[in-house]
Amino acid sequence: MTTPTVTARGAAPTAGVPAAARPRHRRRLAQWGFVVPAVLFMLLFFGYPLVRNVVMSFQHYTPKTFFTGEAPLNGFDNWSAVFRDALFGKALWHTLVFTAGSLLGQFCAGLALAVFFTRRFPLNGVLRSLILLPWLVPMVVSGIVWRRILDQDTGVLNSFLDTVGLDGHTPWLTSPHMALLSVILVNIWIGIPFNMVILYGGLQEVPRELYEAAALDGASGWRTFRSVTLPTLRPVITVVLVLGFMSTVKILDLILALTDGGPADATQTLGTLTYQNSFVRLDFGAGAVVGNVLILISAVFAVFYLRANRTEGK
């Protein structure tokens, strides 16, 4: 006489899977359950816009396209038009100068402040909190405030310089020779708090024993900083520079608020050129080309960063 087999109600998902392998099978399903939503999110909100932007750079895409849906392919016409434009070369150079100057200034000032605040003194925490204010204020608001401060005729900075007997008529934002430097200085002011916070956190993780050993060996303060602090901070420095590069190379709102790319295109960058091509000239194909160049620059930087980290790890 055969005994009927009763199947458990919850056994259906693991049917056909050996009993010994079921825990591993369920664990793998749980892992995929976490991974799949992230992959779908990346494909939907990053992959699709990226592919769409690349396709748009090979199309004749105009405002009429939004109504008709017609965007005929025009080959490399958009690319050749952008690369032949003298403004593209100027914008590329300004982007490199702006990014390099901002990163250097933000990092040096942020590191100096981080080292300074590692010392114990009254109001240490209050001062560190106040220094965070430029980072917390929206960038457009910072740009508008600094535009008033740097105004040649009514700005606070020129009024102060005039009061102390210096040149109080400096055209900070209206001179082609001064505008880019002024924008870089404002961006340095905005980025110092971020660099200080990350580097300050890294300094807290440096073992005190290393400083004690350096002091016993008679190392000077600069020697200790160069031989102990900087090598230990190298991973943190890498993160700060990478994040700083990614956020600086594409800055748009600050430049629009300060100079709108002027005067005489002296502060035109790839970010502002993308905006002007797409939303001022309504040449969406050219705007997509410049946007793709920005993406390519970021991708090349990311590849070098990953290769450097891999070599350092070995």
Side-chain angles (χ1 to χ4, degrees):
M1 181 176 181
T2 59
T3 302
T5 303
V6 179
T7 304
R9 185 174 297 178
T14 58
V17 179
R22 285 175 185 174
R24 184 174 60 185
H25 179 72
R26 290 171 182 166
R27 187 164 57 250
R28 184 172 299 175
L29 287 177
Q31 292 171 350
W32 278 107
F34 285 103
V35 171
V36 169
V39 172
L40 292 177
F41 178 84
M42 293 291 292
L43 291 176
L44 182 61
F45 293 100
F46 292 93
Y48 173 75
L50 178 61
V51 173
R52 193 70 190 87
N53 196 68
V54 172
V55 173
M56 189 184 297
S57 66
F58 296 99
Q59 292 178 316
H60 181 62
Y61 208 99
T62 63
K64 184 179 179 182
T65 304
F66 290 100
F67 301 97
T68 64
E70 298 178 357
L73 294 174
N74 59 1
F76 288 92
D77 290 351
N78 294 329
W79 291 81
S80 60
V82 168
F83 289 153
R84 286 199 308 266
D85 187 1
L87 185 56
F88 175 78
K90 292 177 62 176
L92 179 59
W93 172 246
H94 293 159
T95 301
L96 296 177
V97 173
F98 174 77
T99 303
S102 297
L103 289 182
L104 181 62
Q106 292 171 1
F107 175 76
C108 292
L111 181 59
L113 286 173
V115 172
F116 173 74
F117 282 114
T118 55
R119 303 177 180 181
R120 303 283 183 179
F121 59 89
L123 300 180
N124 182 303
V126 175
L127 291 178
R128 277 191 286 127
S129 301
L130 292 176
I131 289 178
L132 290 177
L133 290 178
W135 189 34
L136 301 177
V137 176
M139 195 168 290
V140 173
V141 176
S142 298
I144 294 174
V145 170
W146 274 100
R147 186 168 185 169
R148 296 295 301 272
I149 293 174
L150 298 175
D151 187 89
Q152 181 177 358
D153 299 321
T154 61
V156 176
L157 181 56
N158 277 344
S159 298
F160 171 77
L161 294 176
D162 196 28
T163 301
V164 297
L166 300 176
D167 183 11
H169 302 281
T170 304
W172 298 102
L173 299 176
T174 56
S175 169
H177 304 290
M178 292 290 298
L180 184 59
L181 175 61
S182 301
V183 173
I184 291 174
L185 292 176
V186 173
N187 191 51
I188 289 174
W189 176 81
I190 292 173
I192 285 175
F194 172 77
N195 284 258
M196 184 200 71
V197 168
I198 302 300
L199 294 170
Y200 178 82
L203 288 172
Q204 302 307 305
E205 300 299 322
V206 179
R208 300 295 103 183
E209 296 81 3
L210 296 179
Y211 291 121
E212 294 173 1
L216 290 175
D217 290 339
S220 63
W222 170 247
R223 177 68 178 178
T224 301
F225 177 78
R226 187 162 55 90
S227 301
V228 176
T229 304
L230 283 182
T232 310
L233 276 181
R234 186 174 301 171
V236 180
I237 292 174
T238 302
V239 171
V240 166
L241 292 180
V242 170
L243 294 179
F245 177 87
M246 294 300 182
S247 62
T248 303
V249 74
K250 60 180 179 61
I251 278 184
L252 169 66
D253 42 5
L254 176 65
I255 299 177
L256 290 182
L258 283 171
T259 63
D260 197 22
D265 296 320
T267 57
Q268 197 78 255
T269 63
L270 293 181
T272 59
L273 186 59
T274 302
Y275 169 80
Q276 290 193 357
N277 281 338
S278 297
F279 302 109
V280 177
R281 303 171 188 170
L282 300 180
D283 189 350
F284 299 101
V289 171
V290 183
N292 288 329
V293 172
L294 263 178
I295 294 173
L296 183 61
I297 292 174
S298 300
V300 170
F301 184 84
V303 169
F304 278 110
Y305 161 69
L306 293 175
R307 288 177 64 89
N309 272 4
R310 187 177 304 170
T311 303
E312 183 179 342
K314 292 180 179 179

